[in-house]
Structures are given as structure tokens and as C-alpha cells.
Amino acid sequence: MHAWFSNDCFPLYLAPMAGVSDKIFRQLCKERGADVLVTEFVSAEGIFRRNERTRRYLDFDEIERPLGVQLFGGNPEHMAEAARQVIEWVRPDFIDLNFGCPVNKVVAKNGGSALLKDCPLLGKVARAVVQAVAPLPVTAKIRIGWDDKSVNAVAVARQLESLGVAALAVHGRTRAQGYSGSADWNVIAEVAGAISIPVIGNGDLLTPADVAKRKAETGIAGAMIGRAAMNSPWIFSQTKQYLATGDLLPPPQPTEKWALIQRHCELAVDECRRNGPSPEAAEDLAMRSMRGRLMAYSKGMPAGKMLREKFQHVRTLREVEEIAQVHLVTCLEVV
Ligand SMILES: Cc1cc2nc3c(=O)[nH]c(=O)nc-3n(C[C@H](O)[C@H](O)[C@H](O)COP(=O)(O)O)c2cc1C
């Protein structure tokens, strides 16, 4: 079994995030210490269509290994066949099963967290995929239950372990919670105590100290970080340093953060140009889709409100460069 699915190396995972954890962002996080990467979720049915969009979701570079492709769907045979095709097509290091997505469109088709309400079907999906791709490992990501009256993470975890799933990520919220309230780390700890495959804890890990606390208190074998990485991909290297030495690395300097933001924008525009119509249209398209990402980066930066107002309308790389120049001068004046 691969080292990152053992109980003793404490890998840091970048959480799969649709519309966020694309190839560019995964690589930016990898450069800053993320150990294991997972693609955005991909529909099993989308795999059969092999359209351009699906191809983009599955695209990754060798440097991203170990990398898992996350699949969702509620039909065991289709999930197994899709997993086989993915392996033949892009050869990931593992397949990850999404049993946590709360989105109506996915749940309505028996995908994602809907399967937490139908454990026999969840078991059939897991068994079919494990058998189809063996010896390649299959991991799963769950929420703790459908709602607070049906928290069944321990039972689901035992079931998945018995079916040969290699590691389990647990987001400590129910489906009903969406992203509100807070993650229940008591349930995550119960799961970690109940099964012997690695349990990767997920939910509201915002700082290196959060990860250290949950590691010490819950028996998790690794941590998965999502939204905090959208704000600061440095969280991975900072957490590693903190876990190893107890030292908190200083936050990145504003110049370093701006260098990352600009690089992210440039890579997004390059990628869009490779697929897009004219260079100008590609830049416009890419920068519009970067707006949400820029908002996330700006949280916690000095004069963040002013930045967010500007980012709402940004359309070119040149504009981002100008915003950065003005902001850096303002920051220096404040210092
Ligand atoms: C924008 C966004 C997209 C997400 N997409 C996925 C997804 O495709 N697959 C998945 O398993 N979880 C997805 N999630 C959930 C995250 O993987 C993670 O479980 C959740 O954000 C909690 O972790 P955090 O508090 O560190 O952000 C998504 C979350 C966000 C915010």
C-alpha cells in the first residue's frame, strides 16, 4: 500500500473543490506543501461522453502525483466502468468516491451524499469500483450523515473499510448543514477510533494550530484542507513546519502574495488561450472566472474591502497588475 495511505505519515490533502481545485490551483498548492491532490468531482456519466469539459477535469501533470480522480454517481455498474475508463485514459494514483456532495443536482441522481441515506446502494457502488480497479486503491469522502437525526458516519466507515476502501476522508458536517454551522470533530474522532484504515479529517481547518489540535485530539491519520487553502495556499507548508517543530512560519509578505495572485491569473489566461477563441476573448473569460478566486485571496489582506470592490470588475491581467502596484504602495505606506 502506498505510504500516503498508511497511518503514520500524516499527509495533508488539498480538498476536492468543484470550480476551484483545477490543475493550476492544485499545482500552486503542491508547490506549497500539499501532499495529496484530488481532482474536482467528475460525473461517471460525463466520463462516457468524453467531452471537452470532462477531459479538462481529468487533466493533470506528473508533478501532481499522488493524485486521485474523484467520481460521483449512483449506478454501481456505470461507476465501475467509468473508473476503468479513467484509469485507462489518465492513470491516476487512486480513485476517490464522492459520497458527500450536497448539491441538489447531484443528490437528485442518487449521487454524492444521497448515498448516505441508502447504505446498501453505497456499498454496491464502493464494491463495484474497488473490484473494477484493483489493485489501484479506492478512497472515499463522506459527510457524517444526511441530517442530524441520521448521523451514520461510523456505520458507513465500517462498511467501506470491509469493502476494501483504502482511506476515508470525513467532512464533519451533515448534508443538511451544507456549509453552515461547524464541523463536528467528535464524530470524526469516533470514525477514526472505529476503523483501521486511515481517516483523513476535514472541515474548518483554518490554521496550522487547528490541524495540530485535531491531530492530537482525534486520532486522524491526515488532514484535508479546502477553503483555507483558497485564501492562502501556504497553509500546507506552514502546517508541516508547525507539526514538525511547533514554529509558526510568518505569513507571506504582501509581495509574495501578489506574485502568487498574478501567477495564478497568468496561468489561468494561458490555459484559456489554449482552449479559447481569440487571445482577448480568452483573457476576458479567464479573468471573469478568476474573480471569485481573487475575492478568496483578498480575505485578510490589508484594505481587503477596497480590493474586493476592484476585483469584482477585473477583466485583464494589466488591471490586476495595476491593483497590485497601488496596493503594495498603500501597504508600504501603512508600514
Ligand atoms: C467551492 C467548493 C467546491 C467543492 N467541491 C467539492 C467536490 O467537488 N467534491 C467534494 O468531495 N467536496 C467538495 N467540496 C467540499 C470540500 O472538499 C470540503 O469538504 C469542505 O469545503 C470542508 O472543508 P474546509 O472547511 O476545509 O473548506 C467543495 C467545497 C467548496 C467550498
Side-chain angles (χ1 to χ4, degrees):
M1 190 56 66
H2 300 282
W4 59 90
F5 297 143
S6 77
N7 273 309
D8 45 33
C9 61
F10 207 81
L12 300 179
Y13 283 59
L14 169 65
M17 288 183 284
V20 174
S21 58
D22 55 15
K23 179 167 110 170
I24 294 171
F25 188 61
R26 291 194 304 264
Q27 293 188 12
L28 294 173
C29 290
K30 183 93 188 180
E31 286 169 10
R32 289 159 187 79
D35 296 303
V36 184
L37 304 173
V38 186
T39 62
E40 304 167 73
F41 68 1
V42 189
S43 128
E45 312 303 324
I47 300 290
F48 301 134
R49 289 195 291 274
R50 289 199 174 210
N51 59 17
E52 177 60 19
R53 208 166 187 189
T54 310
R55 187 198 64 72
R56 272 212 301 279
Y57 288 143
L58 296 179
D59 187 27
F60 67 89
D61 289 339
E62 287 300 303
I63 189 158
E64 295 178 55
R65 294 187 185 278
L67 172 133
V69 168
Q70 190 186 65
L71 292 178
F72 74 91
N75 179 314
E77 289 77 37
H78 289 190
M79 284 287 277
E81 184 50 31
R84 259 189 240 109
Q85 289 196 18
V86 166
I87 291 167
E88 200 186 5
W89 203 1
V90 295
R91 307 212 163 277
D93 297 279
F94 61 101
I95 296 289
D96 185 53
L97 301 174
N98 179 318
F99 296 137
C101 180
V103 174
N104 285 335
K105 220 169 74 181
V106 171
V107 169
K109 289 187 187 150
N110 256 348
S113 59
L115 290 167
L116 297 174
K117 280 199 304 189
D118 187 345
C119 292
L121 183 58
L122 177 141
K124 281 184 195 155
V125 168
R127 180 183 290 114
V129 177
V130 168
Q131 285 175 357
V133 308
L136 204 83
V138 175
T139 62
K141 179 161 177 279
I142 63 171
R143 285 186 174 232
I144 57 174
W146 178 258
D147 59 23
D148 60 1
K149 289 180 201 68
S150 57
V151 171
N152 60 353
V154 169
V156 170
R158 288 207 173 107
Q159 187 186 10
L160 291 172
E161 176 177 41
S162 74
L163 293 170
V165 164
L168 180 67
V170 184
H171 176 194
R173 285 186 174 80
T174 62
R175 189 270 176 176
Q177 272 181 288
Y179 290 92
S180 68
S182 46
D184 186 338
W185 280 83
N186 292 327
V187 178
I188 297 177
E190 276 176 44
V191 174
I195 58 176
S196 48
I197 56 170
V199 171
I200 311 302
N202 170 241
D204 307 337
L205 297 172
L206 300 180
T207 63
D210 288 344
V211 178
K213 176 178 149 72
R214 300 310 187 181
K215 178 176 190 250
E217 289 176 358
T218 64
I220 51 170
M224 177 179 274
I225 302 174
R227 288 164 296 176
M230 288 173 69
N231 171 249
S232 173
W234 289 271
I235 189 164
F236 297 103
S237 48
Q238 287 174 326
T239 299
K240 276 196 170 152
Q241 175 78 9
Y242 190 76
L243 291 176
T245 65
D247 295 336
L248 197 55
L249 292 173
Q253 291 295 312
T255 44
E256 205 183 343
K257 188 146 191 185
W258 274 111
L260 169 77
I261 292 171
Q262 285 180 266
R263 184 150 157 255
H264 193 162
C265 292
E266 281 159 15
L267 291 169
V269 170
D270 284 351
E271 179 71 18
C272 202
R273 280 195 182 135
R274 269 194 287 279
N275 308 310
S278 70
E280 295 74 26
E283 180 166 358
D284 190 68
L285 204 65
M287 290 311 300
R288 282 172 190 270
S289 72
M290 278 301 293
R291 286 175 186 168
R293 319 305 316 285
L294 294 169
M295 299 290 179
Y297 280 129
S298 71
K299 276 189 205 139
M301 285 171 83
K305 189 157 173 269
M306 179 269 285
L307 284 178
R308 283 188 284 282
E309 273 159 20
K310 294 197 171 173
F311 285 153
Q312 266 172 29
H313 310 288
V314 78
R315 296 179 73 160
T316 63
L317 289 169
R318 178 83 200 124
E319 280 169 35
V320 176
E321 202 181 319
E322 283 164 8
I323 297 169
Q325 280 166 2
V326 172
H327 189 255
L328 282 169
V329 170
T330 323
C331 283
L332 290 176
E333 275 168 6
V334 171
V335 174

